[in-house]
Amino acid sequence: MTHDSTQPTRIEFDPDGVAIEPRPGETLLESAHRAKVRIASACGGRGICKSCIIHFTGGETPPPSPSDRDFFSAVKLERGWRRACQCSVSGSSRVHIPARARAESTRMQVDGSDFWVQPEPIVASIEVKLTKPSLNYPEADFERLVEALNQEREPTTWSIDPEAARNLPEVLRQNNWAVQAVVRNDEIIAVQPVKTRLVGLAVDLGTTNIGLFLADLHSGTTIASTGIENPQGIYGSDVVSRVGAAATDADKAIQMQRLVIDAINQRVQGMCDAHNLTPWQIVDVVVAGNTAMHHIFARLQVRGLGLAPFTPVITGPLQIKTRELGLACAPGAQIHMVPNIAGFVGGDHTAMLIGISAHTEKRTVIALDIGTNTEISLLHNGAITSLSCPSGPALEGGHISCGMRAAAGAIESVKINGEDLEIKTIGDAEPIGLCGSGVLDVTAAFFLSGGLNPRGQINREYRHTVLQDDEPVFMLHQGETNVVFTQRDVRSVQLAKGSIRAGIELLLEHAGLHYEQLDKVVVAGAFGNYISIESACTIGLLPPLPLDRFEQIGNAAGTGAKLILLSKTLRDTATNLAARSTHLVQAGNPRFNKHFMHTINFHDIN
Amino acid sequence: MSEQQQKLIDLIADMNEEEAIKLANSMLDSGYDPMKLLEHCRAGMDVVGKRFESGEYFLPELMLAGEMLTEISKKAKPLIQESQTGGAASTKGTVIIGTVHGDLHDIGKNIVTFMLDINGYKVIDLGIDVPVDTFIDSIKEHKPSVVGLSGFLTLAFDSMKETIEAIKAAGLRDDIKIMIGGGQVDDTIRDYTGADAFGLNAMSAVSLCSGWIKAAA
Ligand code: B12
Ligand code: FES
């Protein structure tokens, strides 16, 4: 079919059935994102991953780019396979997006363990009754409000947020001079009808997912919680890609910040609607994110985070008015950005430490949140030492040949039963790929059953090995989409798990400890919640301790952010913890290399 | 080849660090020619390299082999200098290598350095986070045939580009070949940085150098 120049060009995306007119020079990936059609783009469209593979099924098929020519076999190119970020369409085409590239994560678990804390919000509401203005008493609205407040409270010098002042006349008159003032220290941040519920918002700002929690600041109960995908994913799945994009292009930095704000506003509005609230009732916000997410969110420069020596703009706590960042809340509400510990150990880790009560922990504990960057803390004798391991995305299914998000059809667990593979997928659907927990299980299961030798080499004679282009691969599922696990995939897992375990060993060595001396290993984070600890120990990601010493606690960072929102005391504790944590730098540390060398294989080389 | 020689080669190839060092030491102690001994080490290392390429070995083996040989040469090299004063072992050529500024990853670079060294190149390793000027000064001083830039961070590609542009601006570009490696390098990155070639592993670094230096000779 040739392109008819009188017709507008259109790209039609299957199976969604959405169509859009491509803009000149735009990649297909960009067109799809504009059309709000989901195509995974782990590397942010730089052409170095394979998450954006698509299939031209009709109309014009663009010629392959040089890098796609290296990437696909001639047959695949001929049949219309391309990477969405590596091609642009000039004519009309029909594009099929395979399930693996469409998958949206179902594992946006936001809840951590249960907790209770004495609510002790940083904002307070004070009910006041003002005298009506009259010719005898013509004082300004604000002065009369202050007068009333000073009758209720120890007199002080009150100030008012300008936005709250703008609304003041209306609110006072509509409520017949009986209102509640919401105050934060000496500042009036909102004036509302009496008995308005005080609501706070805690945000666990992850690179992949964002957890949102609305809490009642008086009772401490969670009103609603939800998880959304971080919409910055189009700029790459790891922080370094995001930092790279934001550092080289100021417009992109602004765009990325807006994406997150818009997504939060939209979802918070939905949560409020469902609970008869309005966003202007939100009088306090806490945001915990890694240093890069923190900087992009607060519109701080990220340049320093990209290259050595990784200097953040700020590690201490930061207060910003919500409106300054475009977040829809009460007029003068502030955002408390949870302090970072170092360039790659961010406020989300600080929040996690609060979530696991690190400040009262007496035992010797390793706490880690596994992700593209895995932050690890060792709690020992009242001291906290932290570091960040650049584990990469392999353990989350990224940069794995058949890797995918934890969505329907993702293999989430694998066991070997005698000669057979026992595969379980999310939603019990036909397998289309592997998510992180599946990657871990496959590696462990094949290692235990002789498919991998201790150095990670695939055994050609193994029962589930097949040859693909003369390379041995594990065949996990044959069907509409074949699911295989390649030698390169095994190598990626080895590097990822090696770097995490080397980080653990470095922390232990630094404190003069052996892993046997650990009372507890706390695995936090949404990902860590789904993995099999047994598999993680088998492949040496975690030290070989009795299983009862491990605890999978879910989203401790989210829990921590909520606690920091609800309790002034814990907010100070968090700031304190971040300030007194020692950050152990691995870069340039020869001991890291030493440990790494011994943790890459499935058993120690000596 | 004597049984003892073969044994040393096998011990190295099989990653038997303790035994290999013990045997090498005892051979040197009993007056074995240190040059010849290092030659056996190289032969052992060839096997390690081949096993790496075939997928039998992975990075830890390369790193460990590196340590093993460093240990052995620590004892052998001074003996060589004693026996052949001035007779500096002939090298195939000089290679300058370093991790570009902003990047601190050096495991990959160290393996490359070591493999080049064992294959008879004189390698000047400038270390990590190497400023552009250090590369320029070192090129002026050592007049290498090849410069290798290593970097694992995506943002290090910009540092590579900067380094190569500066080499060009200093008028030194035409006399040398530049190879890059580490991380996600490919031909697009090579083109972006202005390097002559990229290598995915230490073996390809060796073959790139031997290709260039042979061609020049
Ligand atoms: C080990 C490691 C570290 C160690 C480095 C130790 C050291 N002394 O080198 C430590 C912990 C210090 C570290 C720190 C960081 N790292 Co790091 N690190 C890794 C890791 C796990 C492995 C890299 C490695 O050494 N591989 C082993 C090498 C030897 O394998 P190889 O590539 O096959 O090696 C061959 C080739 O590269 C080639 N080669 C290498 N150089 C050259 C040169 C030439 C000329 C040629 C021809 C060939 C060549 O030959 C080698 C031998 O065969 C990767 C993740 C991964 N899974 O790959 C991340 C990774 C590289 N790190 C990453 C990051 C972000 C960091 C940090 C910024 C963040 C952090 N969390 O701390 C810091 C910053 C340090 C800095 N400024 O550089 C990211 C980079 C992402 C990106 N897109 O830029 C990665 C990819 C992980 C990730 N996705 O998050 N890291
Ligand atoms: S290759 Fe296209 S997004 Fe990574």
Side-chain angles (χ1 to χ4, degrees):
Chain A
M1 214 187 292
T2 52
H3 164 48
D4 178 352
S5 56
T6 61
Q7 290 286 312
T9 54
R10 274 158 68 85
I11 313 173
E12 276 176 61
F13 293 101
D14 286 333
D16 291 12
V18 178
I20 195 169
E21 194 176 325
R23 291 182 184 157
E26 182 179 68
T27 65
L28 185 71
L29 182 68
E30 287 161 347
S31 311
H33 285 154
R34 209 157 44 76
K36 305 232 176 322
V37 169
R38 188 187 158 77
I39 299 181
S41 49
C43 71
R46 281 178 291 130
I48 53 181
C49 71
K50 51 185 88 175
S51 53
C52 64
I53 293 178
I54 44 107
H55 191 190
F56 283 87
T57 52
E60 193 170 298
T61 303
S65 71
S67 76
D68 266 2
R69 214 169 286 146
D70 291 341
F71 185 83
F72 292 103
S73 67
V75 182
K76 282 220 139 180
L77 288 174
E78 177 61 32
R79 291 193 185 145
W81 291 91
R82 300 283 186 276
R83 284 182 297 174
C85 69
Q86 297 298 304
C87 64
S88 322
V89 178
S90 54
S92 288
S93 322
R94 193 174 195 95
V95 174
H96 178 82
I97 307 166
R100 214 182 276 156
R102 263 192 337 262
E104 222 170 305
S105 183
T106 54
R107 285 188 177 165
M108 287 192 280
Q109 181 232 20
V110 288
D111 291 318
S113 41
D114 283 340
F115 63 88
W116 190 84
V117 60
Q118 178 65 50
E120 193 196 338
I122 199 145
V123 296
S125 63
I126 308 172
E127 283 189 20
V128 283
K129 182 110 185 81
L130 276 67
T131 42
K132 276 189 202 166
S134 65
L135 280 175
N136 296 339
Y137 187 63
E139 289 298 313
D141 287 349
F142 171 67
E143 271 68 30
R144 273 176 299 120
L145 176 61
V146 165
E147 188 189 45
L149 281 173
N150 283 345
Q151 276 164 16
E152 297 293 324
R153 284 281 166 103
E154 195 77 356
T156 164
T157 323
W158 293 100
S159 67
I160 185 163
D161 172 80
E163 194 61 31
R166 286 184 193 113
N167 300 333
L168 187 60
E170 222 179 300
V171 181
L172 289 177
R173 284 162 184 85
Q174 272 173 6
N175 292 286
N176 211 13
W177 312 99
V179 291
Q180 72 180 24
V182 183
V183 302
R184 179 188 175 112
N185 305 324
D186 294 346
E187 189 191 22
I188 301 161
I189 60 167
V191 182
Q192 312 169 324
V194 289
K195 305 274 183 280
T196 302
R197 203 169 175 192
L198 288 195
V199 179
L201 171 69
V203 182
D204 167 23
L205 183 56
T207 314
T208 315
N209 295 323
I210 303 175
L212 300 172
F213 309 86
L214 280 184
D216 184 306
L217 294 179
H218 279 145
S219 67
T221 50
T222 304
I223 302 168
S225 63
T226 187
I228 53 175
E229 211 173 321
N230 187 328
Q232 294 169 348
I234 52 175
Y235 294 101
S237 60
D238 61 305
V239 278
V240 185
S241 310
R242 305 266 179 91
V243 167
T248 44
D249 186 341
D251 284 345
K252 277 193 188 159
I254 293 170
Q255 177 64 18
M256 286 162 90
Q257 199 259 355
R258 284 252 43 116
L259 279 173
V260 166
I261 295 285
D262 290 350
I264 296 178
N265 279 341
Q266 197 189 353
R267 193 49 77 96
V268 167
Q269 180 71 55
M271 292 161 84
C272 285
D273 288 348
H275 291 87
N276 285 323
L277 300 168
T278 71
W280 59 258
Q281 284 176 265
I282 300 173
V283 290
D284 193 23
V285 181
V286 162
V287 174
N290 62 52
T291 313
M293 291 304 109
H294 166 286
H295 277 41
I296 294 172
F297 184 84
R299 294 216 307 261
L300 300 174
Q301 277 210 17
V302 292
R303 201 143 195 112
L305 293 177
L307 289 173
F310 307 100
T311 330
V313 177
I314 179 171
T315 50
L318 183 64
Q319 297 295 137
I320 312 169
K321 290 271 173 173
T322 52
R323 63 162 174 275
E324 206 186 312
L325 298 183
L327 211 57
C329 290
Q334 290 200 22
I335 304 171
H336 171 82
M337 304 291 299
V338 178
N340 301 312
I341 295 173
F344 279 91
V345 187
D348 52 345
H349 196 67
T350 309
M352 183 206 85
L353 291 172
I354 292 293
I356 64 166
S357 300
H359 49 291
T360 53
E361 185 59 77
K362 296 277 178 298
R363 296 167 301 178
T364 298
V365 176
I366 282 276
L368 74 168
D369 187 341
I370 302 171
T372 309
N373 268 300
T374 299
E375 296 88 11
I376 314 176
S377 279
L378 172 67
L379 317 178
H380 178 57
N381 284 343
I384 301 177
T385 319
S386 311
L387 55 72
S388 142
C389 290
S391 36
L395 296 178
E396 294 180 313
H399 290 221
I400 294 284
S401 51
C402 292
M404 66 180 284
R405 289 238 169 143
I411 297 178
E412 59 172 338
S413 90
V414 178
K415 283 203 183 70
I416 300 216
N417 193 353
E419 310 232 293
D420 296 328
L421 282 180
E422 263 176 31
I423 286 179
K424 191 174 166 334
T425 62
I426 296 180
D428 289 319
E430 156 118 15
I432 53 173
L434 276 163
C435 67
S437 56
V439 167
L440 215 67
D441 272 10
V442 165
T443 315
F446 287 149
F447 171 59
L448 285 179
S449 62
L452 287 172
N453 75 13
R455 293 192 176 104
Q457 188 184 22
I458 293 184
N459 176 356
R460 285 177 178 256
E461 261 73 68
Y462 180 66
R463 185 180 165 75
H464 300 285
T465 306
V466 299
L467 289 186
Q468 205 176 54
D469 300 329
D470 218 30
E471 295 290 327
V473 303
F474 293 129
M475 180 57 73
L476 292 164
H477 175 75
Q478 262 171 314
E480 201 185 319
T481 330
N482 283 352
V483 183
V484 298
F485 199 63
T486 67
Q487 183 68 67
R488 264 196 65 177
D489 296 341
V490 179
R491 297 310 189 196
S492 303
V493 172
Q494 286 183 268
L495 289 178
K497 70 103 185 174
S499 78
I500 295 175
R501 182 62 185 282
I504 296 177
E505 293 300 325
L506 193 67
L507 282 170
L508 290 170
E509 180 183 71
H510 184 76
L513 294 169
H514 184 265
Y515 62 72
E516 288 288 357
Q517 289 163 275
L518 288 170
D519 298 311
K520 197 113 227 141
V521 177
V522 180
V523 184
F527 171 70
N529 212 35
Y530 292 102
I531 63 169
S532 145
I533 294 291
E534 230 173 322
S535 294
C537 292
T538 300
I539 68 166
L541 168 70
L542 296 173
L545 291 167
L547 289 181
D548 61 9
R549 285 204 219 165
F550 293 91
E551 201 179 341
Q552 286 165 288
I553 55 158
N555 187 4
T559 304
K562 255 192 292 187
L563 292 170
I564 293 169
L565 173 71
L566 291 173
S567 157
K568 209 159 44 180
T569 307
L570 285 178
R571 195 172 296 197
D572 294 340
T573 308
T575 302
N576 210 335
L577 273 186
R580 72 179 175 86
S581 300
T582 315
H583 176 235
L584 195 60
V585 182
Q586 298 129 283
N589 183 339
R591 294 303 301 167
F592 176 84
N593 292 6
K594 192 88 188 162
H595 289 298
F596 191 43
M597 182 169 98
H598 291 277
T599 53
I600 291 176
N601 283 347
F602 294 117
H603 78 159
D604 207 328
I605 45 177
N606 284 326
Chain B
M1 187 167 295
S2 81
E3 205 175 296
Q4 203 182 26
Q5 290 166 9
Q6 190 57 48
K7 180 136 192 249
L8 182 63
I9 294 173
D10 291 345
L11 285 174
I12 291 172
D14 296 340
M15 295 283 119
N16 203 331
E17 184 180 15
E18 230 169 88
E19 293 291 312
I21 293 176
K22 214 156 86 196
L23 178 61
N25 281 345
S26 81
M27 283 164 79
L28 288 173
D29 288 343
S30 57
Y32 197 85
D33 179 355
M35 278 294 273
K36 264 188 161 163
L37 186 106
L38 285 183
E39 195 48 55
H40 305 325
C41 290
R42 197 161 305 167
M45 209 39 219
D46 271 345
V47 182
V48 172
K50 290 216 176 72
R51 289 185 184 168
F52 176 78
E53 276 180 298
S54 77
E56 188 184 339
Y57 283 174
F58 191 40
L59 295 163
E61 287 74 26
L62 286 188
M63 289 160 76
L64 183 73
E67 287 192 353
M68 205 153 67
L69 292 215
T70 315
E71 200 54 40
I72 296 177
S73 14
K74 250 194 243 155
K75 186 157 172 138
K77 284 214 169 124
L79 296 173
I80 298 175
Q81 266 138 29
E82 265 170 40
S83 62
Q84 349 168 282
T85 24
S90 67
T91 71
K92 295 186 189 160
T94 303
V95 181
I96 289 178
I97 193 163
T99 300
V100 291
H101 67 91
D103 202 322
L104 310 170
H105 292 86
D106 67 355
I107 299 176
K109 181 214 65 187
N110 292 349
I111 297 176
V112 172
T113 304
F114 165 73
M115 286 306 281
L116 287 170
D117 181 67
I118 203 80
N119 278 284
Y121 296 91
K122 179 176 169 205
V123 190
I124 292 149
D125 184 349
L126 301 178
I128 55 178
D129 192 10
V130 179
V132 172
D133 290 344
T134 310
F135 274 108
I136 307 263
D137 293 345
S138 179
I139 294 171
K140 285 184 183 153
E141 185 186 340
H142 299 285
K143 310 217 171 350
S145 325
V146 179
V147 173
L149 305 179
S150 184
F152 280 74
L153 300 175
T154 316
L155 295 173
F157 300 148
D158 288 318
S159 305
M160 290 181 177
K161 188 182 167 83
E162 238 177 84
T163 308
I164 295 177
E165 274 165 6
I167 294 175
K168 206 184 262 170
L172 301 166
R173 181 68 179 90
D174 295 341
D175 309 329
I176 53 171
K177 291 288 184 190
I178 299 181
M179 58 179 180
I180 59 168
Q184 307 265 7
V185 293
D186 60 15
D187 201 53
T188 318
I189 306 294
R190 181 206 59 75
D191 189 55
Y192 174 75
T193 58
D196 295 302
F198 70 96
L200 292 180
N201 56 45
M203 303 329 134
S204 60
V206 173
S207 51
L208 283 172
C209 288
S210 77
W212 284 328
I213 291 173
K214 227 179 267 150

